[in-house]
Amino acid sequence: MFAFARRGILALIALAMLTAAPSPGPGPVAQAPNVKYAAIVVDAESGEVLFARHADSRRYPASITKVMTLYLAFEALAEGRVKADDVLTVSPRAASQPPSKLGLGAGQTITLDNAMKATAVRSANDMAVAIAEHVGGSEARFAAMMTLKARELGMTDTRYVNANGLPDSRQITTARDLAVLTRAIMRDYPQYYRYFGLHDWSFNGREYRNTNGLLGSGHGYDGLKTGYTNASGYNLAASAVRDGRRLITIVLGGRSSATRNVHVAELMDVGFDVERMRARGELIPVAQTVFEARGFGVDTRMDSGPFQYAANTASDEDQGGSNAVSYASLPAAPPEIERVTPAPSQVRTVSAGDVTSALNGAPVTAQPRRTTSAPAREAARPPAGRWAVQVGAFRDEQVARDWLTEVARRFRTQFNGATRDIQRAGEWRRSRFTGMTQDAAEAACRALAERRVTCMVVRPD
């Protein structure tokens, strides 16, 4: 009896303590890294890569596959092997393709022109197969032609096994390869590029809207192609023209079409900002550092989280769902950046694998690799000055501190005696080593660049 009463008293005490203490609420839910993510931003005219993240990692292209399908169709048109008014008879294989599709039955007909429009606008899987059969004789033969063409263009990490991008683990590509393909289709068949910029298309009394929701944003977008499968995530190859300059942005692995579109828009904004700054005479030898200063790169907020820029309200565009998204811009760049030290990718000897330079057709002058002996000797001097080295800009202060600690650990010699500092600039947290002389700061940044760590030398205020 006594034991029972004692247990009851303890239970009442515990209940009182729980009632009196405020509930902490649910803790943050950890978000798994987005292993599907990859992105690249390229100057369409020069082929310069302005930004790259996982650009050489193999990914699934999904319906961006259809850019190559249409490339080969354009090639056949230009060579006179087919005509736009050719009449295609839909085969049972083409008719059996799953959505997104135009939905013509086996034996029905369509012109090649309309089949290409259905492929570009509707992302019609059935019409991509119909085009493949018309141009290549069979989809299997056409897929082999696609892979051969990819090799010819310099797409070294791409393989095709079907014409529409439906799931197949053997069909792979990279963001860099897709940028190469995009530049190639603009260069080789500009007369047909308009297919990718069609906002809508009418067929048999029905209106179809382009799956690329950025085309109607009013910010210079005129192509190219969306894509989605469960394995690939939400993909988009986009191009835009502003102030007479054209950029290409590839984003793969988005968590929704809406957030992917906003991410593409953000990358485009920064890319065009770089172009405008260079036009004003500002020294930006490595554009990647501007992106990283605005939170793209070391922070990896794009691939470590759920693309938290907009609500996941858009449905799968390759099934005909809505793809509209509001336009978003990034904050202005930090004004005090004086110079940027080139990363190793900018000073390495150019090889045959440098497909963007080769594709552009311009002569490439190999530059000698920097040596590390002189910077190491300079950086060994104790810093004593007003210059700083910025190694990142982040939204999260703890991330900024952690990265500063990691850089200090890896580059003890270069930052011996420097002060670690987190500076606030609006919503950004800048990771900096301060109290350095100009020579020491520049030498340290060169040493970081040799180890593929981007940095910026910041002059005194």
Side-chain angles (χ1 to χ4, degrees), residues 406-424:
E406 174 64 16
V407 173
R409 182 188 67 80
R410 292 170 58 186
F411 298 91
R412 295 185 182 91
T413 302
Q414 284 73 24
F415 296 112
N416 178 33
T419 302
R420 302 181 204 176
D421 188 23
I422 302 296
Q423 295 186 357
R424 296 193 177 191

Side-chain angles (χ1 to χ4, degrees), residues 289-309:
T289 54
V290 178
F291 285 82
E292 293 181 356
R294 302 191 187 189
F296 299 93
V298 177
D299 184 3
T300 64
R301 64 190 177 97
M302 298 85 70
D303 54 297
S304 62
F307 279 25
Q308 307 243 6
Y309 309 116

Side-chain angles (χ1 to χ4, degrees), residues 34 53 128 141 165 225 233 278 321 351 371-372 385 424 442 445 454:
N34 184 1
R53 184 69 185 168
R141 184 173 183 274
K225 190 70 193 75
R278 284 176 168 173
S351 66
T371 60
T372 58
R424 296 193 177 191
E442 292 175 348
C445 215
T454 0

Side-chain angles (χ1 to χ4, degrees), residues 88-95 97 126-140 142 163:
L88 284 59
T89 300
V90 179
S91 69
R93 177 180 177 81
Q97 299 300 301
D126 50 354
M127 292 301 100
V129 172
I131 292 171
E133 293 172 341
H134 184 68
V135 174
S138 69
E139 186 183 16
F142 188 82

Side-chain angles (χ1 to χ4, degrees), residues 29-35 37 234 253-260 262-263 300-312:
V29 178
Q31 176 68 51
N34 184 1
V35 297
Y37 174 78
Y234 290 82
R255 297 186 188 274
S256 77
S257 59
T259 56
R260 172 210 61 195
V262 176
H263 184 46
T300 64
R301 64 190 177 97
M302 298 85 70
D303 54 297
S304 62
F307 279 25
Q308 307 243 6
Y309 309 116
N312 184 359

